[in-house]
Amino acid sequence: MSETPQTNPYRDMMGKAFANAIPLNAQFEITYRCNHLCTFCYNSPTGQRELTTPQIFEALKKMADFGVLYLTLTGGEAMCHKDFWAIAAETRRLGMALRVYSNGFLLGDKKVVNRLAKLGPHEVEISLHGARPESHEALTHIKGSFDKTVQALDNLVEAGIKVNLKCPITKLNQDELIGVRDIGEKRGLFVTFDPVITPKDDGNQDPLSLRPDDAFFERYWGELYQELHHGKLPPRANHCAAEGSEANCGTARSGFTIDPYGNILPCVAFRRQVANILEIDSLERIWRTSPVLNEVRDLAVQASDELRKHKDGQYFQFCLGVAEVQTGDPLGIYPQAEVNAGAVRKTYELLQIEDKNDGRKSA
Amino acid sequence: MSSAPEKPLRHPETAFRTIGDEGGLVVMSGRQEVKVLNPAAIKIFTMLDGEHSREQIAEAIAGEFDVSAEDALKDVNAFIDDLAQHGMLNATP
Ligand SMILES: C[S@@+](CC[C@H](N)C(=O)[O-])C[C@H]1O[C@@H](n2cnc3c(N)ncnc32)[C@H](O)[C@@H]1O
Ligand code: SF4
């Protein structure tokens, strides 16, 4: 009656959920509080009152009733919420699989990790911003944060918790990505690098000054990506899009985001307000009837159509949210996406030339 | 026949979702295991709440799917035994 994942039934099921816009994931930003001061952080608190803990519980119940399978607690730094433990326990009690996104600082303490392990989290994603204290802390502005985060990786692995390590690529760490990979791989972790720095949620473009220059990205997609990933070729679509889907990505489809004020958003990057979770009876109804969500779903399909017209269309990783804050148009092609797509195309072209020359296989 | 209880209860660390008419997914949190279930199996899984007996579950399956009550009970028993073996049932409901 059942199959394990990685076989086709699992992919088929995920594909069906995607095609029918049945969301399996929700990201819940439970607070904007944080113990780091990352220069580039996209969070843009407005000064409104954040949800209280009983309101967070109410929101969790609505998400569980809606059938959310994977609930991610994030922020800000979710672990800085005064009731983080009660919220995480409630997530599990409601039957949802718990993911935590964290900077790892508090998880540098074994006792904290053991407490987390007791909740049976599905996985934890940790951000690391360099392979050395100097580079990591140049971004976080917290002395000692590198050691804590690396210690967190050891603690989590020791406690048997699945960890993914992620690293947004900045000018501060662009020359030590192999070192970051090695920190992860030494511990048996899956490591991902994010090649896009986004503006702040309020439209402030300051974070973009930390983006490496175009020449770096030519090199990144041309050589470094394969070196980092042991010969794997660069992706040619968004990681959150199901194979063969007509939508560019999973916004308003595979999941949604709730911000610390309770606003329901199509995804973490595309922050159009749908409704407030406290003001609705059922997520199911709003999910199917919201004009905002329906428009965003249509836009994600239009984005695919538009990209197909671009000369590098098949190589694009494109985010409608980044497009909207950067160009004012969710379908507007922003420079980072274009540079990346051009560099990925060149990589594939080069591999085909090599194919002809020496018979080596490419994608 | 396993030692799984008469009114079986899914393990508290399982999370599940029905996906349209296609079946559903069950996640064993903390173990990174995911199971893909067909429509009958996900229906059974949702009824493993410690309040329904195997016979009641089989009755619901027979009512909803094209299967006799007898065959449904066999399927329910086999599925519950399989879940118990995979640690997806609560040992003490
Ligand atoms: C906002 S943080 C919240 C979770 C947690 N505090 C952390 O830092 O992992 C989520 C992720 O976004 C990344 N991030 C923050 N600002 C960013 C930006 N402007 N561009 C790209 N990634 C960013 C962080 O490094 C982190 O991996
Ligand atoms: S740790 Fe996360 S939430 Fe905190 S400032 Fe850094 S990116 Fe932002």
Side-chain angles (χ1 to χ4, degrees), chain A residues 4-265:
Chain A
T4 45
Q6 273 77 53
T7 59
N8 284 335
Y10 181 70
R11 273 210 303 275
D12 286 356
M13 191 67 88
M14 297 304 277
K16 277 169 192 153
F18 192 92
N20 295 314
I22 297 172
L24 300 176
N25 303 288
Q27 281 196 30
F28 196 175
E29 300 173 333
I30 55 173
T31 181
Y32 280 133
R33 288 173 66 112
C34 188
N35 47 7
H36 282 182
L37 297 164
C38 303
T39 335
F40 73 164
C41 185
Y42 58 69
N43 285 170
S44 308
T46 61
Q48 280 167 267
R49 190 161 160 264
E50 295 189 348
L51 295 180
T52 62
T53 301
Q55 288 171 332
I56 287 175
F57 275 39
E58 183 185 332
L60 287 173
K61 174 82 171 58
K62 285 178 180 166
M63 287 190 263
D65 288 348
F66 183 32
V68 165
L69 189 57
Y70 300 99
L71 193 281
T72 302
L73 295 181
T74 180
E77 176 60 28
M79 298 196 73
C80 286
H81 192 290
K82 68 175 176 48
D83 291 322
F84 170 78
W85 295 105
I87 295 164
E90 180 67 1
T91 303
R92 295 293 304 116
R93 196 190 66 78
L94 290 166
M96 294 182 281
L98 171 68
R99 273 197 193 113
V100 180
Y101 288 177
S102 171
N103 57 35
F105 191 86
L106 295 170
L107 295 164
D109 180 342
K110 269 192 193 181
K111 288 197 293 291
V112 174
V113 171
N114 291 338
R115 191 169 178 192
L116 184 62
K118 290 208 181 86
L119 291 173
H122 188 63
E123 60 191 9
V124 175
E125 289 198 6
I126 300 284
S127 309
L128 186 67
H129 302 289
R132 297 171 304 125
E134 295 76 14
S135 46
H136 180 81
E137 290 165 20
L139 188 98
T140 66
H141 293 280
I142 299 295
K143 212 164 165 34
S145 57
F146 177 83
D147 287 347
K148 289 270 193 191
T149 298
V150 172
Q151 183 62 49
L153 302 178
D154 287 332
N155 294 346
L156 288 161
V157 170
E158 199 186 312
I161 297 175
K162 183 176 178 228
V163 191
N164 295 325
L165 188 61
K166 52 190 186 191
C167 173
I169 305 173
T170 63
K171 275 185 183 150
L172 305 168
N173 63 24
Q174 65 179 73
D175 296 326
E176 49 193 73
L177 301 184
I178 299 281
V180 172
R181 179 202 66 185
D182 290 347
I183 288 173
E185 287 193 350
K186 213 174 101 190
R187 293 164 174 82
L189 309 181
F190 186 65
V191 187
T192 53
F193 296 91
D194 186 349
V196 175
I197 300 297
T198 65
K200 287 187 184 284
D201 291 339
D202 63 7
N204 179 318
Q205 307 280 317
D206 289 354
L208 302 187
S209 65
L210 274 178
R211 177 187 177 268
D213 61 19
D214 294 354
F216 168 81
F217 281 108
E218 296 281 338
R219 201 157 45 80
Y220 176 74
W221 294 115
E223 302 153 24
L224 194 51
Y225 184 91
Q226 288 178 71
E227 199 183 338
L228 284 167
H229 298 92
H230 306 289
K232 216 173 120 193
L233 291 169
R236 283 187 281 187
N238 286 340
H239 64 90
C240 59
E243 234 171 86
S245 156
E246 53 170 7
N248 164 74
C249 64
T251 189
R253 190 173 284 272
S254 56
F256 58 91
T257 292
I258 309 280
D259 78 9
Y261 313 124
N263 295 309
I264 304 164
L265 313 167

Side-chain angles (χ1 to χ4, degrees), chain A residues 282-330:
Chain A
S282 136
L283 264 165
E284 177 74 51
R285 195 153 44 80
I286 200 92
W287 186 255
R288 293 290 159 207
T289 58
S290 156
V292 176
L293 289 173
N294 284 327
E295 186 189 350
V296 168
R297 281 178 205 128
D298 288 348
L299 282 167
V301 174
Q302 278 177 47
S304 283
D305 295 343
E306 287 300 314
L307 290 173
R308 265 193 289 277
K309 294 180 201 152
H310 191 282
K311 70 175 171 35
D312 297 331
Q314 68 183 107
Y315 302 98
F316 260 88
Q317 292 178 68
F318 184 80
C319 170
L320 289 94
V322 176
E324 183 152 270
V325 273
Q326 232 172 298
T327 71
D329 171 5

Side-chain angles (χ1 to χ4, degrees), chain B residues 26-79:
Chain B
V26 179
V27 179
M28 188 67 186
S29 200
R31 274 210 256 142
Q32 292 87 49
E33 264 180 44
V34 185
K35 266 180 175 282
V36 179
L37 302 185
N38 68 27
I42 196 78
K43 169 84 184 172
I44 299 172
F45 199 83
T46 56
M47 294 184 76
L48 301 179
D49 51 10
E51 288 175 13
H52 291 91
S53 67
R54 290 164 183 254
E55 288 70 22
Q56 285 170 320
I57 299 172
E59 220 173 278
I61 294 295
E64 198 167 316
F65 300 90
D66 188 19
V67 57
S68 71
E70 203 178 310
D71 285 347
L73 187 58
K74 270 191 220 149
D75 284 350
V76 167
N77 281 331
F79 180 55

